[in-house]
Amino acid sequence: DWIALPCSRLAREMPCISLPRDLLFAELGRSYTEDEFQELCFEFGIELDEVTVEKLVNTAKRGVEASEEEVVMFKIEMPANRYDLLCLEGLAAALNCFVGRAQPPTFALAPLPAGGPLLMTVKPETAQIRPYIVCAVLRDISLSTAAYTSLIELQDRMHHNICRRRTLVAIGTHDLDKLQPPFTYEARLPSDIKFRPLGEEKEFDAPALMAHYAKDNKMNKFTPIITDSPVYPCVYDSAGTLLSLPPIINGWHSRMSPSIKNILIECTATDLTKANITLNTIVAMFSQYCAKPFTVEPVTVQYPSGPSHPKLAGQAIR
């Protein structure tokens, strides 16, 4: 994967992302010398921090074949509040507009399915742990392997940035064609949750999974977010299939691959504003790959009546 790595200036809070040079130049419609690109970055307000030659990281667990290909990578320092620049698609679009090569896109809502909008019903118990969820669908999408990897990496970068290591927002992306709407967002006792997590070979109940991840150097950074809660947040479809256990891991059943055609995006959160920013950023960056570019299908989120979600009680939000 193309991972957001710290720049040499570790003390700074500005994020630094690694992007394949040749793919970026292809999106910009021309090649640049290193000095020319450094000047473009300076004029735009970002910084080319380093140029390296790297092997692409094994992405087999995420549905992409492992690769030993060596590529030239640009490590670019971005403003901390420009979440749209955290992927190749966003940076290329911004630079193309900046140099006058393209106009900003016009976004639109896609036509709803014949049966009406997909529905996500929020259960009152979620107020105890992670009260909000926002959703959207990117339908009839076509992703190259590079674009698919970019989507996965944007999620990782946003989790590190605006999502504050998943404490404020956790992103789940799923193959909609493997699922049965409508959906529910619930909070259940850990002992009542059992599923096969992404990247694992067997099912776990939630307590066993948390113990398993406590020994994992990557995952044990996230388990403390919910491990002491009496209930864990979880997203299910109408067949009882678990899509995700946020903010920890998605389920194996709804896993994505580069051949995916319809993507369900769900963001669970303790901060509704940041959840909306996160969802809108992902949609804005990757809706260009839909059959009708820059369109997104809304999903209705139905909040419960009563005191559990006082600001949203009884509301259906799309």
Side-chain angles (χ1 to χ4, degrees):
D1 296 355
W2 307 328
I3 302 173
L5 299 172
C7 286
S8 56
R9 301 169 179 82
L10 293 176
R12 295 188 181 182
E13 294 185 0
M14 295 177 68
C16 190
I17 67 169
S18 295
L19 297 175
R21 179 200 63 188
D22 293 347
L23 288 179
L24 178 58
F25 284 175
E27 291 298 317
L28 297 178
R30 58 159 292 187
S31 297
Y32 291 82
T33 66
E34 190 173 320
D35 287 342
E36 287 173 338
F37 190 73
Q38 181 73 274
E39 183 178 356
L40 174 61
C41 289
F42 178 78
E43 292 174 350
F44 182 70
I46 58 180
E47 181 180 349
L48 178 60
D49 185 74
E50 189 178 1
V51 180
T52 63
V53 177
E54 301 176 9
K55 287 185 178 180
L56 297 183
V57 179
N58 185 337
T59 57
K61 282 190 175 182
R62 291 174 168 178
V64 179
E65 292 297 325
S67 173
E68 294 296 320
E69 179 187 3
E70 288 191 340
V71 295
V72 177
M73 303 294 286
F74 279 176
K75 295 187 177 182
I76 306 172
E77 200 172 72
M78 304 294 186
N81 63 344
R82 287 296 304 269
Y83 315 116
D84 59 308
L85 301 182
L86 294 178
C87 65
L88 184 146
E89 287 77 7
L91 178 60
L95 290 177
N96 278 327
C97 290
F98 180 70
V99 301
R101 184 171 178 263
Q103 295 296 314
T106 299
F107 296 95
L109 295 179
L112 295 176
L118 298 184
L119 176 66
M120 177 73 72
T121 300
V122 180
K123 299 296 186 180
E125 295 77 18
T126 58
Q128 300 177 54
I129 177 67
R130 205 171 184 90
Y132 307 115
I133 187 168
V134 295
C135 310
V137 171
L138 294 178
R139 200 175 285 276
D140 296 323
I141 198 167
S142 296
L143 297 175
S144 65
T145 299
Y148 174 80
T149 303
S150 184
L151 171 60
I152 299 298
E153 288 309 317
L154 177 60
Q155 294 176 64
D156 287 346
R157 291 163 183 161
M158 296 193 79
H159 276 152
H160 186 81
N161 192 309
I162 184 175
C163 301
R164 295 295 185 268
R165 298 183 182 274
R166 308 188 193 180
T167 58
L168 301 183
V169 184
I171 307 162
T173 48
H174 311 275
D175 189 335
L176 180 59
D177 294 330
K178 297 176 181 177
L179 300 169
Q180 297 184 35
F183 306 99
T184 56
Y185 177 42
E186 308 180 18
R188 296 188 178 184
L189 295 173
S191 57
D192 292 340
I193 300 170
K194 187 174 184 179
F195 71 111
R196 180 183 173 185
L198 192 64
E200 300 292 342
E201 298 296 327
K202 63 177 184 178
E203 285 193 341
F204 291 80
D205 62 28
L209 182 64
M210 300 300 263
H212 175 66
Y213 283 155
K215 305 170 187 175
D216 186 303
N217 288 334
K218 180 180 179 181
M219 300 303 297
N220 63 15
K221 295 189 290 288
F222 307 117
T223 53
I225 300 172
I226 63 169
T227 190
D228 293 329
S229 172
V231 292
Y232 289 175
C234 39
V235 181
Y236 287 92
D237 73 358
S238 63
T241 301
L242 187 141
L243 283 64
S244 67
L245 179 70
I248 309 302
I249 193 73
N250 290 341
W252 174 260
H253 181 85
S254 60
R255 67 194 182 281
M256 299 200 305
S257 72
S259 62
I260 192 168
K261 289 302 177 185
N262 299 294
I263 302 176
L264 172 67
I265 309 167
E266 44 88 4
C267 300
T268 59
T270 58
D271 186 316
L272 183 57
T273 297
K274 286 185 169 55
N276 280 315
I277 292 171
T278 300
L279 180 65
N280 290 341
T281 300
I282 296 172
V283 165
M285 296 304 99
F286 288 91
S287 58
Q288 65 179 286
Y289 298 119
C290 292
K292 188 173 182 181
F294 305 111
T295 58
V296 57
E297 181 183 312
V299 174
T300 298
V301 177
Q302 177 65 60
Y303 281 90
S305 301
S308 63
H309 295 72
K311 294 182 179 180
L312 299 170
Q315 294 187 41
I317 299 175
R318 187 182 303 167

